[in-house]
Amino acid sequence: MIPSPRLHRGLVLALLALGLSAAGAGAQDPAGPYDLLLRGGTVVDGSGAPRFRADVAIRGDRIARVAPGGIPASEARVVLDVEGLVVAPGFVDNHAHIQTTIHEHPLAENFLRQGITTILASLHSGEQPHPLRDYMAALRVAPNVGFFAGHSWARQAVLGLENRAPEPAELERMKALVEEAMRDGALGLATGLVYVPANFAATEEVIELARVAARHGGIYVSHMRDEATGLLDSVRELIRISREAGLPAQINHHKAVGAGQWGWSERTLAMIDSARAEGLDIKHDLYPYTASSTGSGVLFPQWALAGGRDAFRERAADPATRARIRAEVRRILMEERGGGDLSRVQFRVLASDPRYNGRTLADLAADRGLPNDLDAGADLIIDLQLQGGFSAIYHAMDEADVIRIMRHPWAMFETDGDPVPYGVGFPHPRSYGAFPRVLARYVREQGVITLEEAVRKMTSMPMEQVGQRERGVVREGMFADLVVFDPETIEDRATYTDPHQYAVGVRHLLVNGVPVIQGSSFTGERPGRVLRGPARPDRVAGEDRPRG
Ligand SMILES: [Zn+2]
């Protein structure tokens, strides 16, 4: 694609306004001047190789030249001085909740600000666009996007919310829906086995559907059945699906939730390593936070809340039943959440007493003269639930697990984010900050991984995983998805109490050669494309050949 003259005029004017140089003539390349030149930057090319100093020239949607010796400014129509900045492939978000909403938020600002140029819509629950082909064809968005066939969606389309196994004919209909999505260009099968109705599915059902994805060169990605007490069984299940369906598998947002499971990442990573030693292709990704976010209902056993608020009130009024509820809340707090430390439950919205929004359960206990322990916490939580409940941030992961997972050679990154209209609602800060947080907290401040390794995990690894062999590396001939950022200042700003803050540090961002952020400002351009499968062209069976 050759960028339109309108775009170029806009670029040149914008650059002149910024006081940057725009050279129009004197091109020496026989193909004419480059459209854009990034001059004086340090290239972190995405392969994991050491950084090097080079100028990068772009023509159309491709990287035309990577020149360590430099390229004269006169050879390009537009020149951006990127001295002191890093030039890297645009980042790939392995999982965000965009599969049916991206067209409503076509500029995806909270993602772009993180340096993300490609978002993979691996859906764990909810709707899959259908027909996928039509949805893909109609998209006009800023980032590149990739789609998956959705297990939850296919199951619900055939079985509704029924808690039973499919009859053989029903299973065939589910397989046909997965087959259709794969033919439309899905990258694989995605599951969310913790959610209704996917949690009604036996492993064998998932294997059957994953085999369909495998035949079309797809991969398998999953929000596993249980990330807390059942974590090890869940990893076992994912590995079994990979083995029996014959396709690569990827754990989305790999974590060990709940104080009882802290440290288990040593065991899950060992399981991944031994599966890989067996010849299976198992990978995983994570978001770099130690907290999740959801309502107070997760602190109760399902039976306690069944039938709604009045039923719960009746149960809580009966001393024997209340004691049973209390014991369960205590256990859940201990094993599946933050252990005995009540400061790990942070109110986001406590409607019955908004003064506590942003403060913790430990603060509330202290104000009431109660100790910071499980007994006090369980009683307070039951009382608050009787007053309408709350939403909270649960600081239920151990940073040592986050770091251990991040260091693993086959770990990648994701936001687990949503397209967020600026200032609306209470998003988890990961929607605004996940990728810059890796570069700030874990690369620059703690040195957990090198910049080169972090960029590799954000670029070439995920692009290889979904079969995009012309993206993810800064190399001549590749698509010009590029991020230019300041390695000294890039940082997430969104917090749990003040989430609506864009990340800082991304100076320029190009998608298919077109700037979507330039001089730290959004351009409003929508050059994103749909990245179609097959993710594994060499594994496509039968007559269904890789598409061009
Ligand atoms: Zn998920």
Side-chain angles (χ1 to χ4, degrees), residues 95 97 124 192 194-195 222-223 227 252-253 255 414 416:
H95 169 68
H97 316 121
H124 296 160
V194 71
Y195 297 111
S222 182
H223 179 148
E227 296 174 332
N252 280 148
H253 44 61
K255 53 169 122 48
E414 62 160 65
D416 205 1

Side-chain angles (χ1 to χ4, degrees), residues 302-348:
Q302 276 184 356
W303 62 263
L305 301 181
R309 217 165 143 180
D310 290 342
F312 173 66
R313 188 174 303 282
E314 268 175 44
R315 290 183 193 110
D318 173 61
T321 313
R322 180 173 171 123
R324 278 177 60 210
I325 295 173
R326 186 175 183 273
E328 275 294 288
V329 172
R330 205 179 175 286
R331 184 195 63 75
I332 290 168
L333 264 181
M334 183 62 216
E335 292 178 6
E336 299 178 20
R337 298 291 150 181
D341 182 358
L342 305 185
S343 69
R344 287 179 172 271
V345 179
Q346 178 188 7
F347 300 114
R348 222 171 58 175

Side-chain angles (χ1 to χ4, degrees), residues 364-377:
L364 182 66
D367 290 352
R368 297 195 182 174
L370 299 169
N372 179 359
D373 67 18
L374 289 171
D375 290 328

